[in-house]
Amino acid sequence: MYDGEGPLWRCADGWARGRIRFVAVTAVLVLTAALPACSDATESSRDHAQPSGFEAGSIWVADEGADSLTVLDAATNTVVTTVKGVQKPHNVQVGRDGVSAYAVSGATNQVVAIDAATYTIKGVASTGPAPAHVIEAPNGKIYVTNAGDGTVSVYRGPGLTPVGRIDLGGMPHGLRSADGGGMIVVANTMAGRLDLIDPTADRSVGAIPVGRGPLQVAVTADGRYAYSGVAEPPSVVKVDLGSRSVTGSARVPAAPVQLYLTPDEKTVLSADQGNSDNPGNTMSVIDTEAMTVRGTASTGSGPHGVVVDTSGARAWVTNTFDDTVSVIDLSNLSAPATVAVGKEPNGISYSPRPPAAPTAATATLDVPAPPPHAEDDSGQQPSDGHGH
């Protein structure tokens, strides 16, 4: 079990000073035992930006090694601003209305709500140890996986009022909700399973073994299917949430991290990260019906996070080992742009709202320390049902 101390994703010359990133412990996850290079990254486009005329929107990137969030203009693939102040942010997610962005801090065990229009703090709360991913579910509540103690923290958004915890055990990492709101699916990395949460009662209702090292899931809108990456062999599996069984599998070139469904749900995209000794450099494009790989798109080194715009025309992939974001044209799987961001980009989120114009190239958040034991103020205790 993760002990909450020591570094994982860090530069070689700062090994002793770093702090562990939540995923990682043993050889079970070779894909996460990586040391990215310590080169400085500029916050500007490395290649020429795409021409105007693309769908408007914004891209938020969690730069875990830079203690920052980079905000991109999706229409031009240029950096709009860099938001400083969240330490070791592994994951960031824009809220469903595009008004708030939520980020977790692995250094301070916090979740932070950010006003996407003003780049200021809307709320902050304590999490469990080693917070991994954060989502806003259709019920308006915010869910954070805590890899260090096997729980999921639940808050009322956007102010992040704590309302309880869900005990899953293992090491919960990525999670997503069905758009219909009936199910939240959690990739439980160390346990090799997907945990199912009923968001009405906020309790665990079951678990499905999928294989070694699942890190993230993609869930169909109706909650019927989920897709998950597994580390050995490097694959993406299709899971029937009704029968609670794996019904298909597609091999990919390197151990995958994040997955994302296209809007029509006919395709799932896989960021095939691999590890520092043998980094991946592809995004796999998988037919969800046949569970076959239609093709791959070239990315940078160590592709980790992936999102798709609402038109299904483009994807953005974070490249953890070279501090960039690849822009992928899904019509021909080309990469027309590469954007330099902060060190060790991991989580990434898309919003159809254009980014707000900042007052400066860098916005610095004044993140207050949350009250002691804020997560337990609701008086709720973790659920005692593991569902497996």
Side-chain angles (χ1 to χ4, degrees):
M1 173 62 69
Y2 164 65
D3 61 8
E5 299 296 334
L8 173 63
W9 294 92
R10 57 216 149 172
C11 300
D13 62 355
W15 183 270
R17 300 189 303 274
R19 176 182 172 81
I20 197 163
R21 203 178 100 185
F22 55 88
V23 192
V25 209
T26 66
V28 172
L29 291 178
V30 293
L31 70 163
T32 57
L35 294 178
C38 287
S39 59
D40 291 332
T42 60
E43 291 154 349
S44 60
S45 177
R46 180 168 294 179
D47 295 342
H48 292 297
Q50 293 189 69
S52 60
F54 286 93
E55 181 174 307
S58 53
I59 307 293
W60 286 65
V61 179
D63 308 317
E64 189 167 10
D67 296 339
S68 67
L69 307 169
T70 299
V71 183
L72 309 180
D73 186 327
T76 61
N77 291 307
T78 55
V79 174
V80 173
T81 192
T82 301
V83 181
K84 296 280 190 177
V86 181
Q87 299 179 48
K88 301 295 181 188
H90 179 69
N91 187 247
V92 61
Q93 290 293 309
V94 181
R96 299 173 71 83
D97 60 4
V99 173
S100 301
Y102 301 93
V104 293
S105 169
T108 62
N109 294 335
Q110 291 176 307
V111 57
V112 178
I114 303 164
D115 188 314
T118 61
Y119 305 113
T120 56
I121 293 289
K122 296 180 77 169
V124 60
S126 294
T127 65
H133 277 230
V134 55
I135 61 166
E136 181 185 27
N139 62 11
K141 288 187 284 190
I142 311 304
Y143 295 80
V144 174
T145 51
N146 302 306
D149 67 1
T151 66
V152 174
S153 299
V154 188
Y155 309 88
R156 187 175 298 110
L160 297 175
T161 302
V163 295
R165 284 179 294 154
I166 305 163
D167 185 10
L168 299 178
M171 183 179 284
H173 182 217
L175 76 169
R176 288 206 173 103
S177 172
D179 281 349
M183 185 70 68
I184 294 172
V185 184
V186 183
N188 198 314
T189 302
M190 286 297 294
R193 65 176 186 249
L194 303 186
D195 287 309
L196 308 180
I197 292 174
D198 174 0
T200 302
D202 284 335
R203 66 185 185 91
S204 173
V205 293
I208 306 167
V210 293
R212 301 185 70 180
L215 284 168
Q216 179 57 303
V217 295
V219 184
T220 59
D222 61 5
R224 183 177 178 184
Y225 294 107
Y227 302 86
S228 177
V230 295
E232 296 181 16
S235 307
V236 172
V237 296
K238 181 176 183 178
V239 179
D240 187 317
L241 297 178
S243 66
R244 300 190 178 183
S245 61
V246 174
T247 61
S249 178
R251 291 289 297 268
V252 294
V257 181
Q258 289 197 22
L259 309 174
Y260 210 92
L261 280 165
T262 55
D264 62 8
E265 299 187 347
K266 294 181 179 179
T267 304
V268 63
L269 307 179
S270 169
D272 306 326
Q273 178 179 285
N275 58 62
S276 60
D277 292 330
N278 187 22
N281 57 8
T282 59
M283 180 194 76
S284 293
V285 179
I286 299 167
D287 183 306
T288 56
E289 181 65 28
M291 286 305 292
T292 55
V293 177
R294 291 200 192 113
T296 58
S298 295
T299 65
S301 180
H304 182 103
V306 57
V307 288
V308 181
D309 67 11
T310 52
S311 72
R314 289 176 301 160
W316 291 262
V317 180
T318 55
N319 302 307
T320 295
F321 301 154
D322 66 14
D323 308 333
T324 63
V325 171
S326 294
V327 185
I328 308 296
D329 184 336
L330 294 178
S331 68
N332 57 18
L333 300 186
S334 65
T338 301
V339 186
V341 293
K343 290 181 181 178
E344 299 166 32
N346 289 290
I348 186 168
S349 186
Y350 168 83
S351 169
R353 284 179 176 259
T359 57
T362 300
T364 301
L365 302 173
D366 183 13
V367 181
H373 310 298
E375 189 184 358
D376 296 324
D377 286 349
S378 66
Q380 297 192 34
Q381 298 299 315
S383 164
D384 60 2
H386 287 227
H388 60 273

